[in-house]
Amino acid sequence: GAVVSQHPSRVICKSGTSVKIECRSLDFQATTMFWYRQFPKQSLMLMATSNEGSKATYEQGVEKDKFLINHASLTLSTLTVTSAHPEDSSFYICSARWGVTLYEQYFGPGTRLTVT
Amino acid sequence: ELKVEQNPLFLSMQEGKNYTIYCNYSTTSDRLYWYRQDPGKSLESLFVLLSNGAVKQEGRLMASLDTKARLSTLHITAAVHDLSATYFCAVVPLDRGSQGNLIFGKGTKLSVKP
């Protein structure tokens, strides 16, 4: 089956620093990747949609200059949280899909970010 | 504004009992998903429902979809402790179908007690 990995699984960083989270599709080519954020005991909120080779589409209220998304290849998308603050602490989950009509979306294991 | 509403949000059940989780959505969608999430973990795909009247079953879980009513149900039969988790439904709005991004309900936290 399709596998999506994320790295790191957990990261602790200090306020003001930047942290990069990688999302990889291991056995398929992901034309589209999605980034979600989940606060404790809450649902998943879509942050942005990225298509390989083009700029990401951000959801309303998500700062594109703060959450930099790059989808440079068909198997890798990265999310960089710049100048992190404690309120950015969250569980970040990526998902990937192949093609336009394929209905399945495969989720990564998530990255727990803690900003101190 | 697209809304995906689940109820109940919290469900405490005894082992062996049956119960149903409901998922209503406010926009036209051609697919509905059910996921399971264990604490500290990511999402596990349970069901994908693609058409009106679709019914899928896996073990003690059965999901159905009524696109006319914009309603999906997740029925739990003879619950066991291992089913304790948070269950999310999600839809892909047709107006954004080409992107395939999911809109999630708030989740139902299920606790099965002996």
Side-chain angles (χ1 to χ4, degrees):
Chain A
V3 179
V4 176
S5 70
Q6 279 185 245
H7 178 80
S9 57
R10 289 179 176 270
V11 59
I12 300 172
C13 70
K14 293 185 177 181
S15 288
T17 62
S18 296
V19 60
K20 180 185 286 188
I21 302 169
E22 292 185 349
C23 176
R24 293 182 184 272
S25 56
L26 298 185
D27 51 3
F28 68 102
Q29 293 184 324
T31 51
T32 305
M33 287 185 171
F34 305 92
W35 287 95
Y36 297 87
R37 180 167 57 183
Q38 186 180 33
F39 292 110
K41 301 187 188 303
Q42 293 189 24
S43 187
L44 280 76
M45 297 297 295
L46 179 68
M47 298 176 66
T49 302
S50 75
N51 293 293
E52 185 266 338
S54 62
K55 290 183 178 180
T57 302
Y58 290 81
E59 293 299 298
Q60 194 171 10
V62 177
E63 299 175 60
K64 57 183 68 176
D65 294 332
K66 181 171 183 60
F67 299 99
L68 302 178
I69 291 172
N70 183 277
H71 192 162
S73 77
L74 284 171
T75 59
L76 173 65
S77 177
T78 59
L79 167 66
T80 302
V81 183
T82 62
S83 187
H85 291 282
E87 57 264 32
D88 298 325
S89 299
S90 188
F91 193 44
Y92 292 87
I93 305 175
C94 73
S95 69
R97 61 177 288 163
W98 176 86
V100 176
T101 59
L102 191 67
Y103 54 80
E104 192 59 84
Q105 205 174 115
Y106 303 96
F107 283 84
T111 296
R112 176 78 57 192
L113 170 63
T114 302
V115 184
T116 61
Chain B
E1 181 188 348
L2 170 62
K3 290 184 179 179
V4 180
E5 296 183 341
Q6 283 183 241
N7 72 85
L9 298 182
F10 298 93
L11 178 55
S12 181
M13 322 175 44
Q14 281 191 311
E15 281 191 329
K17 298 292 187 182
N18 305 330
Y19 210 85
T20 300
I21 299 170
Y22 297 88
C23 175
N24 287 92
Y25 52 98
S26 63
T27 192
T28 305
S29 178
D30 62 352
R31 64 197 83 164
L32 187 137
Y33 302 77
W34 284 98
Y35 294 94
R36 167 180 173 146
Q37 186 178 37
D38 291 295
K41 305 291 185 182
S42 187
L43 300 183
E44 174 190 350
S45 179
L46 295 175
F47 302 108
V48 181
L49 302 169
L50 298 176
S51 61
N52 186 42
V55 177
K56 289 193 174 181
Q57 182 165 4
E58 181 73 34
R60 300 175 188 273
L61 301 178
M62 183 174 70
S64 66
L65 178 63
D66 181 343
T67 57
K68 293 180 181 177
R70 298 180 182 173
L71 170 68
S72 179
T73 61
L74 180 66
H75 187 72
I76 303 154
T77 302
V80 293
H81 180 70
D82 285 351
L83 289 179
S84 297
T86 298
Y87 293 84
F88 291 96
C89 65
V91 300
V92 175
L94 273 182
D95 60 346
R96 305 182 75 174
S98 63
Q99 292 278 47
N101 26 289
L102 294 165
I103 308 297
F104 285 86
K106 291 187 175 181
T108 297
K109 184 172 182 180
L110 173 64
S111 175
V112 182
K113 302 181 186 302

